[in-house]
Amino acid sequence: MSYHYNEAFENPDYHNSETLESDRRKASQTNSMFRQNPYDSSPYDSYTDHDGREQRQNYSVDIPMATMQPGLEVSQSAKRWGTPNANPYGNTHINHSFEYEPEFMYTPPSTLSTVDGPFARRSSDASEASIVQRRNRQRADPVFTTSSDFDRTDANAAAYNENKESQEEKIIRNLASMTTRERIKAIQKMPKTMKEKREIRNKVLMEKTRKSVSYSTEIHCCTQCMYKIALSYRRFRNGLSELFQSLQLWQKTLKIIGGKFGTSVLSYFVFLTWLLTFNIFSFLVNFSFITIPQFIAAGSNNLSFTGLELLTGAGYFQQTVLYYGFYTNSTITKIENSTSYDMQLAYIFTIGIYFVICFFSLVYSMAKSFRNNFVNPHTYSGNAGKLLCIWDFNITNEKAVRLKQKNLSTQIKEALSEGKSEDLNLSLKQRMVHIAIHLAAWIFSLGTTAVCCTCVYYLSINNLKLFMKGDGTELENQAATLVLPIVVSLLNLLTPFIFSLLELLEKFQYPRNQIYVTITRNVILKMSIIGILCYYWLNIVAISATECWETLVGQDIYRLVVVDFLFCLLGSFFGEFVRRIIGTKCLKNLGVPEFDIARNVLGLIYVQTLTWIGIFFSPLLPAIQMIFFFIIFYVKKVSLMMNCQPPRKVWRASQMTTLFIFLLFFPSFTGVLSVVAITIWRLNPSEKCGPFRGLSSIFDAVSRWIDVLTNYPRSAWVVWIYHNLIESVHFFFILTVIIIL
């Protein structure tokens, strides 16, 4: 009898099936010396169903495979068992975990020889071997396949692997031909695991490296040199960018503030650090090219230091490098017969180049911020991206994880608050009432600003008269100079609080609108006061009978900056600390105060404007302002954490930074340029002090230098720039139009 082969014997799941439990029981009941194959037709050709009745089954006669054709009906029993789901054992219970196999297929005699074949054995031996195979799962099952089956399987596997490798090579070649951005997007869209994507990326990089190496052997040496230069420059630029990013101040503190109080409060501290960077750069430039050379030619200071100079800026400081009047107008020579250093040209060119750098830096920062926050905001702050892709899985520190979670939570709240905002449906009468309230608030704020400017103007004139008389002692005269900066600082401190009370009457629906209106009112106030002071300095002090009016202006600006810093600290104490005590202990209805963004930001713009104006009259003023900004940052941070609460209405203030930079550029920086231009081109310098003493105007120093350069042919290009650009009205007109557009 021929031995039949069923593929189910090679499947371990088949042996683990519960339906073979009856076969296992039967096998255990038979004699251990003789075990019959339960699926063989001989010698047992019957089985018992669930009812205990013995059923006879006549197996079909084996037919050689050579006589079988597709669709040939072998026997009636073969037809009956050919259905995949038919149970050949007559069992009414069907297990759906596997499908029954059809009749055992015939193996050609040429392959399984009864004499030589390795599987040629008696029927009883085959049955016993079948049962042993089913009992031992770990032992290798006999596979009744021909050598042609093995060859066919190996050929199919080899063809599959070759096809897979060719497809992968094609994908790698296509990715290698793409640009970097397209390749990254294509790999991200692949439906593969991260490990597979990394392997594909590494193979693509290896392919590009191989191509670049083979291509580099063919290209010209000059092209290779240019390629290496470009690559070195790109690496240098990336390294420099990483260095600047690592040098950013207070990164962790800014993350904590942003996570707890949101981007609206964070924008103030980011703006503060940005201004600090400006002052550090200004100090380094002025100290390197103006102050250090002056130390060489400086004489001894015979004035005594009393300590009051720290507030007034007069007395001992008057004969130091802090002010314009101390600098010499002669050329400085360290060694005889060596190159001299012209202090006049160094003074004017250093300050001029610094303002040019600040100008382009402000324009670039403003344009970049405008593009990111107004033109294409969703590219940088997509809500879906924040929700799904913003988490950094490299964060493992527990504190960093909590901080990141809080920061993301605040950002999502801010994004959702904009989507929930709805316009109020007001009646016509209610709208008219709102318009009337807003109009009355604006009239009151503008009237208050006009009163403040009038007080500053008349007080500054009286202050100059008292200074010119000099009837009192030196101590009294220095103390009298503090009246003007104290009054100006009081107005700048108290008036914004009055403007904040108007917000309670106006009841803005959106926090952004409230901030914009408050900022506009404070800008009008502070810029108007600075405008009155500039008019006082350029039209009254400059034509007065003082010995060195530039130093006097520098002292006024120094006092304004110092006193404003002291009032800023007092404002944090009384405006936030005392306000919290009152709101939590006395009047609990007031509650904990919120951080006043508009008032604090306008305070920074105001003091930075004074610093820019004072650079010409006091070159080391940025160093003082740099120290003040350091102290203000930590004071405001502590006051914010201890005395303030997060905004009641969460809102996203990413566009506030653009507004702050714009206000710093206009009217602040443009006004400073106007003041400096008038000082250089129109006003007469003092005759007894400063590097430009004895000249009709400060710009005459440049004109005289150009006259000297006309005698040197190598400097003809400098002369051409001076006559065709600096003296040309059309050049400044075109430059102004380009900036405005």
Side-chain angles (χ1 to χ4, degrees):
M1 181 178 181
S2 63
Y3 197 87
H4 303 285
Y5 167 65
N6 193 333
E7 294 179 355
F9 288 165
E10 298 182 10
N11 189 356
D13 294 335
Y14 175 82
H15 301 287
N16 294 332
S17 177
E18 296 177 359
T19 57
L20 299 180
E21 198 64 37
S22 60
D23 295 332
R24 297 191 184 98
R25 288 195 300 267
K26 288 182 179 180
S28 62
Q29 294 173 2
T30 57
N31 190 0
S32 59
M33 296 298 295
F34 178 79
R35 288 186 172 86
Q36 179 65 32
N37 187 352
Y39 303 107
D40 200 352
S41 59
S42 177
Y44 299 103
D45 55 353
S46 66
Y47 59 90
T48 307
D49 60 3
H50 287 285
D51 298 333
R53 293 173 300 177
E54 182 177 320
Q55 303 290 336
R56 301 288 300 178
Q57 178 63 46
N58 296 323
Y59 288 85
S60 60
V61 181
D62 296 333
I63 301 175
M65 293 294 293
T67 62
M68 296 182 66
Q69 301 293 335
L72 181 65
E73 296 181 0
V74 179
S75 64
Q76 187 69 23
S77 61
K79 289 182 182 180
R80 185 172 62 254
W81 292 358
T83 304
N85 294 330
N87 190 341
Y89 311 110
N91 195 348
T92 58
H93 174 71
I94 298 176
N95 189 348
H96 296 283
S97 62
F98 73 101
E99 296 179 355
Y100 294 95
E101 296 291 334
E103 177 64 29
F104 303 145
M105 295 187 302
Y106 177 78
T107 304
S110 59
T111 304
L112 300 177
S113 175
T114 57
V115 179
D116 304 331
F119 304 108
R121 45 182 86 168
R122 292 176 303 175
S123 173
S124 59
D125 296 338
S127 302
E128 182 179 358
S130 175
I131 297 175
V132 171
Q133 293 165 9
R134 287 164 50 189
R135 285 180 175 273
N136 190 358
R137 301 294 181 264
Q138 303 299 328
R139 186 176 302 172
D141 296 333
V143 181
F144 300 97
T145 57
T146 64
S147 60
S148 60
D149 294 335
F150 282 113
D151 296 339
R152 190 181 303 110
T153 303
D154 294 340
N156 293 336
Y160 174 76
N161 293 332
E162 291 179 359
N163 186 22
K164 184 177 180 181
E165 291 177 358
S166 62
Q167 291 180 356
E168 186 174 354
E169 291 178 357
K170 184 177 180 181
I171 293 173
I172 291 174
R173 287 196 301 269
N174 293 336
L175 291 173
S177 62
M178 297 179 181
T179 61
T180 303
R181 182 175 297 180
E182 292 175 351
R183 182 167 62 253
I184 292 174
K185 291 183 179 180
I187 294 176
Q188 289 176 349
K189 292 180 181 180
M190 288 183 178
K192 297 180 179 296
T193 62
M194 292 298 297
K195 183 178 180 181
E196 294 174 342
K197 290 181 180 180
R198 292 191 188 99
E199 294 177 353
I200 293 175
R201 182 194 61 185
N202 295 334
K203 291 180 180 179
V204 171
L205 294 178
M206 293 176 61
E207 179 70 15
K208 289 179 67 66
T209 304
R210 183 182 62 80
K211 289 183 177 180
S212 63
V213 171
S214 62
Y215 178 73
S216 62
T217 59
E218 301 175 0
I219 60 178
H220 196 266
C221 60
C222 295
T223 308
Q224 293 183 16
C225 182
M226 295 299 296
Y227 175 77
K228 291 181 180 179
I229 292 174
L231 183 61
S232 300
Y233 170 74
R234 191 181 302 113
R235 291 176 178 174
F236 172 76
R237 185 183 61 184
N238 295 336
L240 195 63
S241 176
E242 293 178 359
L243 177 62
F244 285 153
Q245 191 172 8
S246 63
L247 292 178
Q248 290 181 356
L249 300 173
W250 304 304
Q251 294 186 18
K252 183 178 179 181
T253 303
L254 293 177
K255 291 180 181 179
I256 295 174
I257 294 174
K260 185 174 182 180
F261 295 91
T263 57
S264 57
V265 179
L266 177 64
S267 61
Y268 165 79
F269 289 91
V270 173
F271 187 63
L272 176 58
T273 56
W274 193 69
L275 290 180
L276 178 61
T277 306
F278 262 102
N279 285 276
I280 292 174
F281 173 72
S282 177
F283 165 71
L284 294 176
V285 171
N286 292 346
F287 187 78
S288 300
F289 296 99
I290 299 178
T291 306
I292 292 179
Q294 181 60 34
F295 280 133
I296 299 175
S300 60
N301 191 347
N302 298 323
L303 299 177
S304 60
F305 181 78
T306 61
L308 187 61
E309 292 87 352
L310 295 175
L311 289 177
T312 62
Y316 179 83
F317 288 156
Q318 190 171 352
Q319 298 297 325
T320 61
V321 292
L322 183 60
Y323 294 116
Y324 164 93
F326 183 73
Y327 289 86
T328 181
N329 64 335
S330 61
T331 57
I332 301 173
T333 303
K334 180 66 174 177
I335 304 175
E336 295 183 0
N337 299 327
S338 62
T339 304
S340 60
Y341 192 84
D342 195 334
M343 181 56 70
Q344 291 182 347
L345 297 179
Y347 200 97
I348 191 172
F349 281 143
T350 300
I351 294 177
I353 293 174
Y354 166 73
F355 278 120
V356 170
I357 294 174
C358 288
F359 174 81
F360 285 107
S361 178
L362 284 172
V363 171
Y364 173 77
S365 301
M366 186 169 53
K368 182 179 179 181
S369 181
F370 181 80
R371 183 196 65 181
N372 295 348
N373 297 318
F374 288 90
V375 178
N376 195 14
H378 297 289
T379 303
Y380 298 88
S381 58
N383 296 334
K386 286 183 179 179
L387 186 62
L388 301 175
C389 307
I390 201 173
W391 183 258
D392 186 2
F393 288 92
N394 292 326
I395 300 177
T396 57
N397 185 269
E398 184 177 356
K399 293 183 179 179
V401 169
R402 289 198 300 266
L403 178 60
K404 187 69 174 179
Q405 290 175 346
K406 187 180 295 185
N407 204 330
L408 291 180
S409 175
T410 305
Q411 292 182 19
I412 293 173
K413 289 179 182 178
E414 292 174 352
L416 294 177
S417 65
E418 293 187 354
K420 291 182 178 180
S421 60
E422 299 178 356
D423 295 332
L424 296 177
N425 296 324
L426 302 177
S427 61
L428 180 61
K429 181 179 179 181
Q430 291 175 336
R431 291 182 180 178
M432 294 300 295
V433 171
H434 274 265
I435 293 174
I437 292 175
H438 290 318
L439 183 61
W442 274 105
I443 293 174
F444 178 80
S445 62
L446 294 177
T448 304
T449 301
V451 172
C452 293
C453 292
T454 304
C455 294
V456 170
Y457 177 73
Y458 285 105
L459 182 61
S460 59
I461 292 177
N462 293 330
N463 190 39
L464 179 61
K465 291 179 180 179
L466 293 174
F467 178 78
M468 295 298 296
K469 288 181 180 180
D471 296 336
T473 61
E474 183 67 21
L475 183 62
E476 292 177 352
N477 291 334
Q478 290 188 19
T481 57
L482 294 174
V483 176
L484 177 63
I486 289 175
V487 173
V488 171
S489 298
L490 279 174
L491 293 176
N492 286 326
L493 179 64
L494 298 178
T495 308
F497 282 109
I498 298 175
F499 292 163
S500 300
L501 296 177
L502 296 177
E503 300 172 1
L504 301 177
L505 299 176
E506 293 177 288
K507 295 180 181 179
F508 289 96
Q509 180 182 0
Y510 304 110
R512 181 182 290 105
N513 296 341
Q514 176 180 344
I515 295 293
Y516 287 163
V517 170
T518 307
I519 286 177
T520 304
R521 291 170 180 169
N522 283 275
V523 165
I524 294 174
L525 170 68
K526 295 181 182 295
M527 293 300 112
S528 299
I529 292 177
I530 292 179
I532 294 297
L533 291 173
C534 290
Y535 177 82
Y536 160 70
W537 292 325
L538 301 182
N539 293 276
I540 298 176
V541 177
I543 61 175
S544 62
T546 56
E547 181 179 357
C548 189
W549 67 268
E550 293 91 349
T551 299
L552 183 60
V553 174
Q555 291 175 356
D556 284 342
I557 297 175
Y558 174 89
R559 286 189 287 267
L560 287 170
V561 170
V562 172
V563 175
D564 183 82
F565 167 72
L566 296 177
F567 273 81
C568 179
L569 301 181
L570 293 176
S572 298
F573 179 78
F574 289 101
E576 296 170 357
F577 175 72
V578 178
R579 167 70 171 76
R580 180 181 67 87
I581 297 299
I582 295 174
T584 55
K585 303 297 182 181
C586 302
L587 301 176
K588 295 185 179 180
N589 293 331
L590 295 177
V592 181
E594 295 183 10
F595 189 79
D596 195 341
I597 303 172
R599 179 175 59 85
N600 287 280
V601 168
L602 266 297
L604 296 179
I605 295 177
Y606 165 77
V607 74
Q608 184 62 38
T609 305
L610 290 176
T611 304
W612 276 335
I613 296 174
I615 283 178
F616 186 84
F617 306 102
S618 179
L620 292 184
L621 191 61
I624 299 171
Q625 190 60 52
M626 181 177 62
I627 298 172
F628 289 167
F629 277 158
F630 267 107
I631 299 174
I632 288 174
F633 183 90
Y634 287 104
V635 170
K636 291 294 183 181
K637 173 207 166 186
V638 173
S639 178
L640 176 70
M641 295 297 181
M642 295 180 60
N643 304 321
C644 299
Q645 64 175 345
R648 294 183 179 89
K649 294 182 179 180
V650 181
W651 58 286
R652 185 169 56 189
S654 57
Q655 299 174 350
M656 293 293 293
T657 305
T658 307
L659 177 63
F660 297 159
I661 299 175
F662 175 76
L663 292 176
L664 190 64
F665 178 77
F666 180 83
S668 176
F669 187 76
T670 54
V672 170
L673 292 181
S674 302
V675 172
V676 175
I678 292 173
T679 304
I680 294 175
W681 266 278
R682 295 186 58 183
L683 298 181
N684 297 324
S686 300
E687 296 181 356
K688 297 181 180 181
C689 69
F692 305 101
R693 66 189 72 175
L695 300 178
S696 59
S697 66
I698 296 174
F699 194 72
D700 284 346
V702 180
S703 301
R704 293 182 179 184
W705 178 61
I706 294 297
D707 293 338
V708 174
L709 290 180
T710 53
N711 300 325
Y712 298 92
R714 294 182 178 179
S715 303
W717 62 275
V718 180
V719 178
W720 184 89
I721 291 175
Y722 174 79
H723 289 297
N724 293 276
L725 296 181
I726 304 301
E727 290 185 341
S728 176
V729 179
H730 300 88
F731 170 74
F732 288 101
F733 174 76
I734 295 173
L735 182 62
T736 305
V737 171
I738 292 174
I739 294 171
I740 293 175
L741 295 178

